[in-house]
Every structure is written in structure tokens, then in C-alpha cells.
Coordinates of all heavy atoms in Angstrom, one line a residue:
M24 N -49.6 31.5 -19.7 CA -48.8 31.6 -18.6 C -47.3 31.3 -18.9 O -46.9 30.1 -18.7 CB -49.3 30.7 -17.5 CG -50.7 31.2 -16.9 SD -50.5 32.6 -15.9 CE -50.7 32.0 -14.3
K25 N -46.7 32.2 -19.4 CA -45.3 31.9 -19.8 C -44.4 31.8 -18.7 O -43.4 31.0 -18.6 CB -44.8 33.0 -20.8 CG -44.0 32.5 -21.9 CD -43.6 33.6 -22.9 CE -42.7 33.1 -24.0 NZ -42.3 34.2 -24.9
S26 N -44.6 32.6 -17.6 CA -43.7 32.6 -16.5 C -43.8 31.3 -15.8 O -42.7 30.9 -15.2 CB -44.1 33.8 -15.5 OG -45.4 33.5 -15.0
K27 N -44.8 30.6 -15.8 CA -44.9 29.3 -15.0 C -44.0 28.3 -15.8 O -43.3 27.5 -15.1 CB -46.3 28.8 -15.0 CG -46.6 27.8 -13.9 CD -48.0 27.4 -13.8 CE -48.1 26.5 -12.6 NZ -49.6 26.0 -12.6
V28 N -43.9 28.4 -17.1 CA -43.1 27.5 -17.9 C -41.6 27.7 -17.5 O -40.8 26.8 -17.3 CB -43.4 27.7 -19.3 CG1 -42.4 26.8 -20.2 CG2 -44.8 27.3 -19.7
I29 N -41.3 29.0 -17.4 CA -39.9 29.3 -17.1 C -39.5 28.9 -15.8 O -38.4 28.3 -15.5 CB -39.7 30.9 -17.3 CG1 -39.8 31.3 -18.8 CG2 -38.3 31.3 -16.7 CD1 -40.0 32.8 -18.9
L30 N -40.4 29.0 -14.8 CA -40.2 28.6 -13.4 C -40.0 27.1 -13.4 O -39.0 26.6 -12.7 CB -41.4 29.0 -12.6 CG -41.1 29.1 -11.1 CD1 -40.3 30.4 -10.8 CD2 -42.3 29.1 -10.3
T31 N -40.8 26.4 -14.1 CA -40.7 24.9 -14.2 C -39.3 24.6 -14.7 O -38.7 23.6 -14.3 CB -41.8 24.3 -15.0 OG1 -43.0 24.9 -14.6 CG2 -41.9 22.8 -14.7
A32 N -39.0 25.2 -15.8 CA -37.7 25.0 -16.5 C -36.5 25.2 -15.5 O -35.6 24.5 -15.3 CB -37.5 25.8 -17.7
L33 N -36.6 26.3 -14.7 CA -35.5 26.6 -13.8 C -35.4 25.6 -12.7 O -34.3 25.2 -12.3 CB -35.8 28.0 -13.2 CG -35.3 29.2 -14.0 CD1 -35.9 30.6 -13.3 CD2 -33.8 29.3 -13.9
L34 N -36.6 25.2 -12.3 CA -36.6 24.2 -11.2 C -36.0 22.9 -11.6 O -35.2 22.2 -10.9 CB -38.1 24.0 -10.8 CG -38.3 23.4 -9.4 CD1 -38.1 24.4 -8.3 CD2 -39.8 22.8 -9.3
S35 N -36.3 22.5 -12.8 CA -35.8 21.2 -13.3 C -34.2 21.4 -13.6 O -33.5 20.4 -13.3 CB -36.5 20.8 -14.6 OG -36.3 21.8 -15.6
V36 N -33.8 22.5 -13.9 CA -32.4 22.7 -14.1 C -31.6 22.6 -12.8 O -30.6 21.9 -12.7 CB -32.1 24.1 -14.8 CG1 -30.6 24.5 -14.7 CG2 -32.5 24.1 -16.3
S37 N -32.2 23.2 -11.8 CA -31.6 23.2 -10.5 C -31.6 21.7 -9.9 O -30.7 21.3 -9.2 CB -32.2 24.1 -9.5 OG -33.6 23.8 -9.3
L38 N -32.6 21.0 -10.3 CA -32.7 19.6 -9.8 C -31.7 18.8 -10.5 O -31.0 17.9 -9.8 CB -34.1 19.1 -10.1 CG -35.2 19.3 -9.1 CD1 -36.6 18.9 -9.6 CD2 -34.9 18.6 -7.8
M39 N -31.4 19.0 -11.7 CA -30.4 18.3 -12.4 C -29.0 18.6 -11.9 O -28.2 17.7 -11.8 CB -30.5 18.7 -14.0 CG -31.5 17.9 -14.7 SD -31.7 18.5 -16.4 CE -30.2 17.9 -17.1
A40 N -28.8 19.9 -11.6 CA -27.5 20.3 -11.0 C -27.3 19.6 -9.7 O -26.2 19.2 -9.4 CB -27.5 21.8 -10.8
C41 N -28.4 19.4 -9.0 CA -28.3 18.8 -7.7 C -28.0 17.3 -7.9 O -27.1 16.8 -7.2 CB -29.6 18.9 -7.0 SG -29.5 18.8 -5.2
A42 N -28.5 16.7 -8.9 CA -28.2 15.3 -9.2 C -26.8 15.1 -9.7 O -26.2 14.0 -9.4 CB -29.2 14.8 -10.3
Q43 N -26.3 16.1 -10.3 CA -24.9 16.0 -10.7 C -23.9 16.1 -9.6 O -22.8 15.7 -9.7 CB -24.6 17.1 -11.8 CG -25.1 16.7 -13.2 CD -25.0 17.8 -14.2 OE1 -24.8 18.9 -13.8 NE2 -25.3 17.5 -15.4
E44 N -24.3 16.6 -8.5 CA -23.4 16.8 -7.3 C -23.1 15.4 -6.7 O -22.0 15.2 -6.2 CB -24.0 17.7 -6.3 CG -24.1 19.1 -6.6 CD -22.7 19.7 -6.9 OE1 -21.8 19.4 -6.1 OE2 -22.6 20.5 -7.8
T45 N -24.0 14.5 -6.8 CA -23.8 13.2 -6.2 C -22.6 12.5 -6.6 O -21.9 12.0 -5.7 CB -25.1 12.4 -6.4 OG1 -26.3 13.2 -6.2 CG2 -25.1 11.2 -5.4
P46 N -22.4 12.3 -7.9 CA -21.1 11.6 -8.3 C -19.8 12.2 -7.7 O -18.9 11.5 -7.4 CB -21.1 11.6 -9.8 CG -22.5 11.9 -10.2 CD -23.1 12.8 -9.1
K47 N -19.9 13.5 -7.6 CA -18.6 14.2 -7.1 C -18.4 13.7 -5.7 O -17.2 13.5 -5.3 CB -18.9 15.7 -7.1 CG -18.5 16.3 -8.4 CD -18.7 17.8 -8.4 CE -18.6 18.4 -9.7 NZ -18.9 19.9 -9.7
V48 N -19.4 13.6 -4.9 CA -19.3 13.2 -3.5 C -18.7 11.8 -3.5 O -17.8 11.5 -2.7 CB -20.6 13.4 -2.7 CG1 -20.5 12.8 -1.3 CG2 -21.1 14.8 -2.7
K49 N -19.3 11.0 -4.4 CA -18.8 9.5 -4.4 C -17.3 9.4 -4.8 O -16.6 8.7 -4.2 CB -19.7 8.8 -5.4 CG -20.8 8.1 -4.8 CD -21.5 7.2 -5.8 CE -22.7 6.5 -5.3 NZ -23.5 5.8 -6.3
H50 N -17.0 10.3 -5.7 CA -15.5 10.3 -6.2 C -14.7 10.7 -5.0 O -13.6 10.0 -4.8 CB -15.4 11.2 -7.3 CG -14.1 11.3 -7.9 ND1 -13.5 10.2 -8.6 CD2 -13.1 12.2 -7.8 CE1 -12.3 10.5 -8.9 NE2 -12.0 11.8 -8.5
K51 N -15.0 11.6 -4.3 CA -14.2 12.1 -3.1 C -14.0 11.0 -2.1 O -13.0 10.7 -1.6 CB -14.9 13.3 -2.5 CG -13.9 14.2 -1.8 CD -14.7 15.4 -1.3 CE -13.7 16.4 -0.6 NZ -14.4 17.5 0.0
K52 N -15.1 10.3 -1.9 CA -15.1 9.2 -1.0 C -14.1 8.1 -1.4 O -13.4 7.5 -0.6 CB -16.5 8.6 -0.8 CG -17.1 8.9 0.5 CD -18.5 8.1 0.7 CE -19.2 8.6 1.9 NZ -20.5 7.9 2.0
A53 N -14.2 7.8 -2.7 CA -13.3 6.7 -3.2 C -11.9 7.1 -3.1 O -11.0 6.3 -2.9 CB -13.7 6.5 -4.7
K54 N -11.6 8.4 -3.3 CA -10.2 8.8 -3.2 C -9.7 8.7 -1.8 O -8.5 8.3 -1.6 CB -10.2 10.3 -3.6 CG -9.0 10.6 -4.5 CD -9.0 12.1 -4.9 CE -7.9 12.4 -5.8 NZ -7.9 13.8 -6.1
T55 N -10.5 8.9 -0.8 CA -10.1 8.8 0.6 C -9.8 7.4 1.0 O -9.0 7.1 1.8 CB -11.2 9.4 1.6 OG1 -12.1 10.2 0.8 CG2 -10.6 10.2 2.7
A56 N -10.6 6.5 0.4 CA -10.4 5.1 0.6 C -9.1 4.5 0.1 O -8.7 3.5 0.5 CB -11.6 4.3 0.0
V57 N -8.5 5.2 -0.8 CA -7.2 4.8 -1.4 C -6.1 4.7 -0.3 O -6.0 5.6 0.5 CB -6.8 5.7 -2.5 CG1 -5.4 5.2 -3.0 CG2 -7.8 5.6 -3.7
K58 N -5.4 3.6 -0.2 CA -4.3 3.4 0.7 C -3.2 4.5 0.6 O -3.0 5.0 -0.6 CB -3.8 2.0 0.6 CG -4.7 0.9 1.2 CD -4.0 -0.4 1.2 CE -4.8 -1.5 1.7 NZ -4.3 -2.8 1.5
S59 N -2.5 4.7 1.6 CA -1.4 5.6 1.5 C -0.4 5.1 0.4 O -0.2 3.9 0.3 CB -0.6 5.7 2.8 OG -0.1 4.5 3.2
D60 N 0.1 6.0 -0.3 CA 1.0 5.6 -1.4 C 2.5 5.4 -1.0 O 3.4 5.7 -1.7 CB 0.9 6.6 -2.6 CG 1.0 8.0 -2.1 OD1 1.7 8.3 -1.1 OD2 0.4 8.8 -2.8
A61 N 2.7 4.8 0.2 CA 4.1 4.5 0.7 C 4.5 3.4 -0.2 O 3.8 2.3 -0.3 CB 4.0 4.2 2.1
K62 N 5.7 3.5 -0.7 CA 6.3 2.4 -1.5 C 6.6 1.2 -0.8 O 7.3 1.3 0.3 CB 7.5 3.0 -2.3 CG 7.2 3.8 -3.5 CD 8.5 4.3 -4.2 CE 8.1 5.2 -5.3 NZ 9.3 5.8 -5.9
P63 N 6.2 0.0 -1.2 CA 6.6 -1.2 -0.5 C 8.1 -1.4 -0.6 O 8.6 -1.2 -1.7 CB 5.8 -2.3 -1.1 CG 5.4 -1.7 -2.4 CD 5.4 -0.2 -2.4
V64 N 8.7 -1.9 0.4 CA 10.1 -2.1 0.5 C 10.4 -3.4 -0.3 O 9.7 -4.4 -0.1 CB 10.7 -2.3 1.9 CG1 12.2 -2.4 1.9 CG2 10.3 -1.1 2.7
K65 N 11.3 -3.3 -1.2 CA 11.7 -4.6 -1.9 C 12.9 -5.2 -1.2 O 13.9 -4.6 -1.1 CB 12.1 -4.2 -3.4 CG 11.0 -4.3 -4.3 CD 11.1 -5.5 -5.2 CE 9.9 -5.6 -6.2 NZ 10.1 -6.7 -7.1
F66 N 12.7 -6.4 -0.8 CA 13.7 -7.1 -0.1 C 14.5 -7.9 -1.1 O 14.0 -8.4 -2.1 CB 13.2 -8.0 1.0 CG 12.5 -7.3 2.1 CD1 11.2 -7.6 2.4 CD2 13.1 -6.3 2.7 CE1 10.6 -6.9 3.5 CE2 12.5 -5.6 3.7 CZ 11.2 -5.9 4.2
A67 N 15.8 -8.1 -0.8 CA 16.7 -8.9 -1.7 C 16.3 -10.4 -1.6 O 16.5 -11.2 -2.6 CB 18.1 -8.7 -1.2
N68 N 15.7 -10.8 -0.5 CA 15.3 -12.2 -0.4 C 13.8 -12.4 -0.6 O 13.0 -11.6 0.0 CB 15.7 -12.7 1.0 CG 15.1 -11.9 2.2 OD1 14.9 -10.7 2.0 ND2 14.8 -12.5 3.2
A69 N 13.4 -13.4 -1.4 CA 12.1 -13.6 -1.6 C 11.4 -14.4 -0.4 O 10.2 -14.4 -0.1 CB 11.8 -14.4 -2.8
T70 N 12.3 -15.2 0.3 CA 11.9 -15.9 1.5 C 12.9 -15.7 2.6 O 14.0 -15.4 2.5 CB 11.9 -17.4 1.2 OG1 13.1 -17.8 0.7 CG2 10.8 -17.9 0.1
D71 N 12.2 -15.8 3.8 CA 13.1 -15.7 5.0 C 14.0 -16.9 5.1 O 13.6 -18.1 5.1 CB 12.1 -15.8 6.2 CG 12.7 -15.6 7.6 OD1 13.8 -16.0 7.8 OD2 12.0 -15.1 8.4
P72 N 15.4 -16.6 5.0 CA 16.3 -17.7 4.9 C 16.4 -18.6 6.1 O 16.9 -19.7 6.1 CB 17.6 -17.0 4.7 CG 17.4 -15.6 5.2 CD 16.0 -15.3 5.0
I73 N 15.9 -18.1 7.2 CA 15.9 -18.9 8.5 C 14.7 -19.9 8.5 O 15.0 -21.1 8.8 CB 15.8 -18.0 9.7 CG1 16.7 -16.8 9.6 CG2 16.2 -18.8 11.0 CD1 18.2 -17.0 9.3
C74 N 13.6 -19.5 8.3 CA 12.4 -20.4 8.4 C 11.7 -20.6 7.0 O 10.7 -21.3 7.0 CB 11.4 -19.7 9.4 SG 10.7 -18.2 8.7
N75 N 12.2 -20.1 6.0 CA 11.7 -20.3 4.6 C 10.3 -19.8 4.4 O 9.6 -20.2 3.5 CB 11.8 -21.8 4.3 CG 13.2 -22.3 4.1 OD1 14.1 -21.6 3.5 ND2 13.5 -23.4 4.6
M76 N 9.9 -18.8 5.2 CA 8.7 -18.2 5.0 C 8.8 -17.1 3.9 O 9.8 -16.4 3.9 CB 8.3 -17.6 6.4 CG 6.8 -17.2 6.5 SD 6.6 -16.5 8.1 CE 6.1 -14.8 7.6
P77 N 7.8 -17.0 3.1 CA 7.9 -15.9 2.0 C 7.9 -14.5 2.7 O 7.1 -14.3 3.6 CB 6.7 -16.0 1.2 CG 6.1 -17.4 1.5 CD 6.6 -17.8 2.9
T78 N 8.7 -13.6 2.2 CA 8.9 -12.3 2.8 C 7.8 -11.4 2.3 O 7.3 -11.6 1.2 CB 10.2 -11.6 2.5 OG1 10.4 -11.7 1.2 CG2 11.3 -12.3 3.3
E79 N 7.3 -10.5 3.0 CA 6.3 -9.5 2.6 C 6.8 -8.1 2.8 O 7.7 -7.9 3.6 CB 5.0 -9.7 3.5 CG 4.2 -10.9 3.0 CD 3.2 -11.4 4.0 OE1 2.7 -10.5 4.6 OE2 3.0 -12.6 4.1
A80 N 6.3 -7.2 2.0 CA 6.8 -5.9 1.9 C 6.7 -5.1 3.2 O 7.4 -4.2 3.5 CB 6.1 -5.1 0.8
D81 N 5.7 -5.5 4.0 CA 5.5 -4.7 5.3 C 6.2 -5.4 6.5 O 6.0 -5.0 7.6 CB 4.0 -4.6 5.6 CG 3.3 -5.9 5.8 OD1 4.0 -7.0 5.6 OD2 2.2 -5.9 6.2
M82 N 7.2 -6.2 6.2 CA 8.0 -6.8 7.3 C 8.8 -5.8 8.0 O 9.4 -4.9 7.3 CB 8.8 -7.9 6.8 CG 8.0 -9.2 6.6 SD 9.0 -10.5 5.9 CE 8.0 -11.9 6.3
K83 N 8.8 -5.8 9.4 CA 9.5 -4.7 10.1 C 10.9 -5.1 10.5 O 11.8 -4.3 10.8 CB 8.6 -4.3 11.3 CG 7.5 -3.5 11.0 CD 6.7 -3.1 12.2 CE 5.5 -2.3 11.8 NZ 4.4 -3.2 11.2
D84 N 11.1 -6.4 10.5 CA 12.5 -6.9 10.9 C 13.3 -7.1 9.7 O 13.1 -8.0 8.8 CB 12.3 -8.3 11.7 CG 11.6 -8.1 13.0 OD1 12.3 -7.4 13.9 OD2 10.5 -8.5 13.2
T85 N 14.2 -6.2 9.6 CA 15.1 -6.2 8.3 C 16.5 -6.1 8.7 O 16.9 -5.6 9.8 CB 14.7 -5.0 7.4 OG1 14.9 -3.8 8.1 CG2 13.2 -5.0 7.0
A86 N 17.3 -6.5 7.8 CA 18.8 -6.4 8.0 C 19.4 -6.0 6.7 O 19.0 -6.5 5.7 CB 19.4 -7.7 8.5
V87 N 20.4 -5.1 6.8 CA 21.1 -4.8 5.6 C 22.4 -5.5 5.5 O 23.2 -5.4 6.4 CB 21.3 -3.2 5.5 CG1 22.0 -2.8 4.2 CG2 19.9 -2.5 5.5
Y88 N 22.6 -6.2 4.4 CA 23.9 -6.9 4.3 C 24.4 -6.7 2.9 O 23.6 -6.9 1.9 CB 23.7 -8.4 4.6 CG 24.9 -9.2 4.4 CD1 26.0 -9.1 5.2 CD2 25.0 -10.1 3.4 CE1 27.1 -9.9 5.0 CE2 26.1 -10.9 3.1 CZ 27.2 -10.8 4.0 OH 28.3 -11.5 3.8
K89 N 25.6 -6.2 2.7 CA 26.2 -5.9 1.5 C 25.3 -5.0 0.5 O 24.9 -5.4 -0.6 CB 26.6 -7.2 0.7 CG 27.8 -7.8 1.3 CD 28.3 -9.0 0.5 CE 29.6 -9.6 1.1 NZ 30.1 -10.8 0.5
N90 N 24.7 -3.9 1.1 CA 23.9 -2.9 0.5 C 22.6 -3.5 0.0 O 21.9 -2.9 -0.8 CB 24.6 -2.3 -0.7 CG 25.8 -1.5 -0.2 OD1 25.7 -0.8 0.8 ND2 26.9 -1.5 -1.0
K91 N 22.2 -4.7 0.6 CA 20.9 -5.2 0.2 C 20.1 -5.4 1.5 O 20.6 -5.7 2.5 CB 21.1 -6.6 -0.5 CG 21.4 -6.5 -1.9 CD 21.7 -7.8 -2.5 CE 22.0 -7.8 -4.0 NZ 22.3 -9.0 -4.6
T92 N 18.8 -5.1 1.4 CA 17.9 -5.2 2.5 C 17.2 -6.6 2.5 O 16.6 -7.0 1.5 CB 16.9 -4.1 2.5 OG1 17.6 -2.8 2.4 CG2 16.1 -4.0 3.8
Y93 N 17.3 -7.2 3.6 CA 16.6 -8.5 3.8 C 15.5 -8.4 4.8 O 15.7 -7.7 5.8 CB 17.7 -9.6 4.2 CG 18.8 -9.8 3.2 CD1 19.9 -9.0 3.1 CD2 18.7 -10.8 2.2 CE1 20.9 -9.2 2.2 CE2 19.6 -11.1 1.3 CZ 20.8 -10.2 1.2 OH 21.7 -10.4 0.3
G94 N 14.4 -9.0 4.5 CA 13.3 -9.0 5.4 C 13.1 -10.3 6.1 O 13.4 -11.4 5.6
F95 N 12.7 -10.2 7.4 CA 12.5 -11.5 8.2 C 11.2 -11.4 8.9 O 10.7 -10.3 9.2 CB 13.7 -11.5 9.2 CG 15.0 -11.5 8.5 CD1 15.7 -10.4 8.3 CD2 15.5 -12.8 8.1 CE1 16.9 -10.4 7.7 CE2 16.7 -12.8 7.3 CZ 17.5 -11.6 7.2
C96 N 10.6 -12.5 9.2 CA 9.3 -12.6 9.9 C 9.4 -12.1 11.3 O 8.4 -11.7 11.9 CB 8.8 -14.0 9.8 SG 9.7 -15.2 10.8
S97 N 10.6 -12.2 11.9 CA 10.7 -11.9 13.3 C 12.1 -11.4 13.6 O 13.1 -11.7 12.9 CB 10.3 -13.1 14.2 OG 11.3 -14.1 14.0
A98 N 12.3 -10.9 14.8 CA 13.6 -10.4 15.3 C 14.5 -11.7 15.4 O 15.7 -11.5 15.3 CB 13.4 -9.7 16.6
Y99 N 13.9 -12.7 15.8 CA 14.7 -14.0 16.0 C 15.4 -14.4 14.7 O 16.6 -14.6 14.6 CB 13.8 -15.1 16.5 CG 14.5 -16.5 16.4 CD1 15.4 -16.8 17.5 CD2 14.3 -17.4 15.4 CE1 16.1 -18.1 17.4 CE2 15.0 -18.5 15.3 CZ 15.9 -18.9 16.3 OH 16.5 -20.1 16.2
C100 N 14.6 -14.4 13.6 CA 15.2 -14.8 12.3 C 16.2 -13.8 11.9 O 17.3 -14.1 11.3 CB 14.1 -14.9 11.2 SG 13.0 -16.4 11.5
R101 N 15.9 -12.5 12.1 CA 16.9 -11.4 11.7 C 18.2 -11.6 12.5 O 19.3 -11.5 11.9 CB 16.2 -10.1 12.0 CG 17.1 -8.9 11.6 CD 16.6 -7.7 12.3 NE 16.8 -7.8 13.7 CZ 16.1 -7.0 14.6 NH1 15.2 -6.2 14.2 NH2 16.3 -7.2 15.9
D102 N 18.1 -11.9 13.7 CA 19.3 -12.1 14.5 C 20.1 -13.3 14.1 O 21.3 -13.3 14.1 CB 19.0 -12.1 16.0 CG 18.5 -10.8 16.6 OD1 18.7 -9.8 15.9 OD2 17.9 -10.8 17.6
E103 N 19.4 -14.4 13.8 CA 20.0 -15.5 13.3 C 20.8 -15.2 12.0 O 22.0 -15.7 11.8 CB 19.0 -16.7 13.0 CG 18.5 -17.4 14.2 CD 19.7 -18.1 15.0 OE1 20.4 -19.0 14.3 OE2 19.9 -17.9 16.2
F104 N 20.2 -14.4 11.1 CA 20.8 -14.1 9.9 C 22.1 -13.2 10.1 O 23.1 -13.4 9.6 CB 19.8 -13.3 9.0 CG 20.4 -12.7 7.8 CD1 20.5 -13.5 6.6 CD2 20.8 -11.4 7.7 CE1 21.1 -13.0 5.5 CE2 21.3 -10.8 6.5 CZ 21.5 -11.7 5.4
K105 N 21.9 -12.3 11.1 CA 23.1 -11.4 11.4 C 24.2 -12.1 12.0 O 25.4 -11.7 11.8 CB 22.6 -10.3 12.3 CG 21.9 -9.2 11.7 CD 21.5 -8.1 12.7 CE 21.0 -6.8 12.0 NZ 20.6 -5.8 13.0
K106 N 24.0 -13.2 12.6 CA 25.1 -14.0 13.3 C 26.0 -14.6 12.2 O 27.2 -14.7 12.3 CB 24.5 -15.1 14.1 CG 24.0 -14.7 15.5 CD 23.6 -15.9 16.2 CE 22.6 -15.6 17.4 NZ 21.9 -16.7 17.9
N107 N 25.3 -15.0 11.1 CA 26.2 -15.6 10.1 C 25.5 -15.4 8.7 O 24.9 -16.3 8.0 CB 26.2 -17.1 10.3 CG 27.4 -17.7 9.6 OD1 28.0 -17.1 8.7 ND2 27.6 -19.0 9.9
P108 N 25.5 -14.1 8.2 CA 24.9 -13.8 6.9 C 25.4 -14.6 5.8 O 24.7 -15.0 4.9 CB 25.1 -12.3 6.7 CG 25.9 -11.9 7.9 CD 26.2 -13.0 8.8
E109 N 26.7 -14.9 5.7 CA 27.3 -15.6 4.6 C 26.7 -17.0 4.5 O 26.5 -17.5 3.3 CB 28.8 -15.9 5.0 CG 29.6 -14.6 5.1 CD 30.0 -14.0 3.7 OE1 29.8 -14.7 2.7 OE2 30.6 -12.9 3.7
K110 N 26.2 -17.5 5.5 CA 25.7 -18.9 5.5 C 24.3 -18.8 4.7 O 23.9 -19.8 4.0 CB 25.4 -19.4 6.9 CG 24.9 -20.8 7.0 CD 24.8 -21.1 8.5 CE 23.8 -22.2 8.7 NZ 23.6 -22.5 10.2
Y111 N 23.6 -17.7 4.9 CA 22.2 -17.6 4.3 C 22.2 -16.9 3.0 O 21.3 -17.1 2.2 CB 21.3 -16.9 5.3 CG 21.2 -17.6 6.6 CD1 21.8 -17.1 7.8 CD2 20.6 -18.8 6.7 CE1 21.8 -17.8 9.0 CE2 20.5 -19.5 7.9 CZ 21.1 -19.0 9.1 OH 21.1 -19.6 10.3
V112 N 23.1 -16.1 2.7 CA 23.2 -15.4 1.4 C 23.9 -16.3 0.4 O 25.0 -16.6 0.5 CB 23.8 -14.0 1.4 CG1 23.9 -13.4 0.1 CG2 23.1 -13.1 2.4
Q113 N 23.1 -16.7 -0.6 CA 23.7 -17.6 -1.6 C 23.7 -16.9 -2.9 O 22.9 -16.1 -3.3 CB 22.8 -18.8 -1.8 CG 23.1 -19.9 -0.7 CD 21.8 -20.6 -0.2 OE1 20.8 -20.7 -1.0 NE2 21.9 -21.1 1.0
K114 N 24.9 -17.1 -3.5 CA 25.1 -16.5 -4.8 C 25.9 -17.5 -5.7 O 26.9 -18.0 -5.4 CB 25.8 -15.2 -4.7 CG 26.2 -14.5 -6.0 CD 24.9 -14.1 -6.8 CE 25.1 -14.3 -8.2 NZ 23.9 -14.1 -8.9
Ligands
ZN220 ZN1 11.4 -16.4 9.9

């Protein structure tokens, strides 16, 4: 029964092909899980000069002073900075 051997061989090949599909799906899932590649903003200040809190890249309250972007924890700190930036920018 040669045909039965061929059939078995074909069946096992298709099963293997099926098994090989699984990693592809996993890979696709992993890719979707990757965060958006938006570049984090680099602030000129490592810490909020008003409250001394470390600045983070996703801070929304920012002020530009002398072509440098400064990040603040809140609108309050940003406004305080804007009132007197010279006081807070040290060089
Ligand atoms: Zn602050």
C-alpha cells in the first residue's frame, strides 16, 4: 500500500506547516504590543526648578527659554518659571 504511505507523509507535512504558523502569529502580537515610537522630549532641566522634582519625558507643562525646552510637573511650576526664568536657569 504505497498510496497510504504518501497520504500519511502529506498529512504530516501539512501538520508541520500548521505548527509553523503559530510563531508567526505570536510575532505579530509582540509587534502590536510595542509602544508608539514617539521620541521622548529631552528637557534642558533634569529637575523641576520650582519644586525640585525630577522631570520626565512625558511632562506636558513645558516652557521654552533661550531655545531650550524646560519641563515642569504642573502649570503652576511652569508659570513660576516664566515669571522669572533668570532666577531658575543657572549657568
Ligand atoms: Zn513642580
